[in-house]
Amino acid sequence: MEVTSVDLGFLEPCEPWLLTNKFFRSKVGGKPAWLELKHLPKPDDLLCGQCNEPLGSLCQVYAPVEANENSFHRTLYVFVCLTAACNQSPEPEAGTIKVLRSQLPRRNEYYEYDPPDETKESPAIKSPVPLCVVCGCRGPKLCSRCKAVNYCSAAHQRLDWKAVHKSVCCSEEGSTVPASATSSIQFPEFEIITEEEEYEPKAKLSEEENAKRQLAELERLKQEGKAGALDELSEAELDQYSSDQVEDKTFDKFKERISADPEQVLRYERGGKPLWLSPKLPQTIPPCGRCAGRRVFEFQIMPQLLNSLNSEQLDWGTLVCYTCEASCDVQGYAEEYIFRQDVLNTDTAKH
């Protein structure tokens, strides 16, 4: 697949009704705007693999594949654990972050063939599947008293009961949840708008400039009391120095690349290459769990997004998503692969 450019994603305020499912937009926060409406993920599919609590909706990326008629509409959903301990876990298969793929042909049973009118407010296409009043995911559980409110889990039922439902159960207001009841499990909602990256790599250093840089590095080592020369370092110190140099160069490249667009929260380049901030990479990218085909890089979530989430629980360097290269047919939602790369000198975790 020929790749011509990287699309950068930026946050922008947007009317909430424009971020519902039938307008097919990328967004951060709020409740998921589900694409396929009958075969939603089961609550167990959206539990953290470490603490077993419900994951929260981080973002969704609308990403059609033009070459695949069954992917005319296609959305990728990223869910994260909301507890600090899980987000700091070095466990390689903790399942604290998950990404799901859903897709539909242009003619389908849910949405009109032609795009909707975006100049006037209109409601979302309602799912026939009951949704959790707190998080907007599949909600098979009912309040046992009023039987008017659905939940995905006992955890969200308890959250709603303490916040508001206890006082309105069996009343006309019983099916509404104010913002105060969902603020702890929903992130602020923004649209993700994209624009093509304009990047010109800096010219490589000349031999003379490289020599000057090496001399400066040698002088730094002397000042740090490391015997004044690399050949006088112990083998362990030399290995650590070499590793640090590689990490520094990778991180410097990361910083230099994003410096022109420091507010970017997303980098999208299906079939391209991620922008790594550390040399600690995933050992292998597992094949698609449905068709066994190859997975390719599709997008990565940048650390700048953390600044807009109002959450002290989350932490990552970058989240890198790989998806089925063929975007194979799926009824409902299929899990793809996401890799969490942490900041320098920390372990990485894959999911």
Side-chain angles (χ1 to χ4, degrees), residues 26-325:
S26 299
K27 75 183 185 88
V28 164
K31 296 179 180 179
W34 298 112
L35 181 64
E36 204 281 342
L37 298 176
K38 286 185 178 178
H39 305 91
L40 298 183
K42 297 177 181 178
D44 286 351
D45 297 332
L46 293 175
L47 294 179
C48 174
Q50 184 159 295
C51 70
N52 214 38
E53 290 294 311
L55 299 174
S57 176
L58 176 65
C59 68
Q60 58 188 71
V61 179
Y62 182 67
V65 178
E66 294 182 2
N68 186 341
E69 64 179 14
N70 289 328
S71 297
F72 182 87
H73 295 300
R74 179 173 174 272
T75 303
L76 298 160
Y77 300 80
V78 180
F79 294 86
V80 296
C81 185
L82 303 176
T83 63
C86 291
N87 283 289
Q88 297 167 1
S89 169
E91 293 298 322
E93 297 292 347
T96 60
I97 309 170
K98 295 181 180 180
V99 58
L100 304 179
R101 168 173 59 92
S102 184
Q103 59 197 45
L104 293 169
R106 185 170 184 177
R107 292 196 183 279
N108 59 78
E109 61 181 300
Y110 307 114
Y111 307 102
E112 298 290 341
Y113 185 82
D114 294 317
D117 183 359
E118 296 190 0
T119 63
K120 59 182 180 180
E121 184 173 350
S122 58
I125 304 300
K126 188 176 180 181
S127 170
V129 176
L131 302 180
C132 175
V133 71
V134 175
C135 69
C137 296
R138 181 190 283 267
K141 298 181 181 293
L142 276 171
C143 172
S144 58
R145 290 183 61 191
C146 66
K147 302 189 184 303
V149 183
N150 288 80
Y151 302 100
C152 67
S153 61
H156 283 184
Q157 185 171 6
R158 288 193 298 268
L159 177 66
D160 185 31
W161 181 259
K162 293 178 181 179
V164 66
H165 192 63
K166 181 178 181 180
S167 62
V168 297
C169 186
C170 297
S171 69
E172 292 182 0
E173 298 82 18
S175 61
T176 63
V177 179
S180 60
T182 61
S183 59
S184 63
I185 57 93
Q186 283 185 29
F187 301 116
E189 196 171 37
F190 298 93
E191 182 180 6
I192 301 176
I193 59 169
T194 59
E195 59 184 55
E196 187 174 320
E197 182 183 39
E198 297 181 2
Y199 172 71
E200 294 184 6
K202 293 181 179 179
K204 292 184 178 179
L205 295 177
S206 65
E207 291 185 9
E208 181 181 354
E209 289 170 324
N210 269 324
K212 288 181 179 178
R213 176 170 289 190
Q214 289 171 0
L215 287 173
E217 179 63 17
L218 185 58
E219 183 62 30
R220 182 182 71 82
L221 288 173
K222 289 180 179 179
Q223 292 176 359
E224 291 178 359
K226 294 183 176 179
L230 289 177
D231 59 0
E232 295 180 23
L233 296 177
S234 69
E235 186 174 346
E237 288 175 319
L238 189 59
D239 287 343
Q240 181 61 46
Y241 171 75
S242 177
S243 175
D244 289 346
Q245 285 291 93
V246 172
E247 285 201 345
D248 288 346
K249 289 180 180 179
T250 304
F251 190 55
D252 286 346
K253 181 180 178 181
F254 181 90
K255 291 192 297 181
E256 191 270 326
R257 184 69 180 263
I258 67 174
S259 61
D261 300 286
E263 299 302 316
Q264 60 184 274
V265 300
L266 183 84
R267 296 179 65 85
Y268 185 93
E269 187 186 17
R270 180 168 163 81
K273 295 181 179 180
L275 180 61
W276 299 111
L277 53 73
S278 164
K280 298 185 179 74
L281 308 182
Q283 294 183 353
T284 59
I285 305 302
C288 175
R290 297 181 59 82
C291 71
R294 187 170 77 107
R295 280 192 172 111
V296 297
F297 169 68
E298 183 145 354
F299 68 85
Q300 69 187 103
I301 298 170
M302 306 298 283
Q304 288 83 345
L305 179 58
L306 292 166
N307 297 330
S308 302
L309 296 180
N310 297 337
S311 173
E312 297 180 355
Q313 313 304 316
L314 299 183
D315 185 32
W316 65 70
T318 184
L319 305 178
V320 184
C321 179
Y322 294 83
T323 61
C324 176
E325 183 176 33

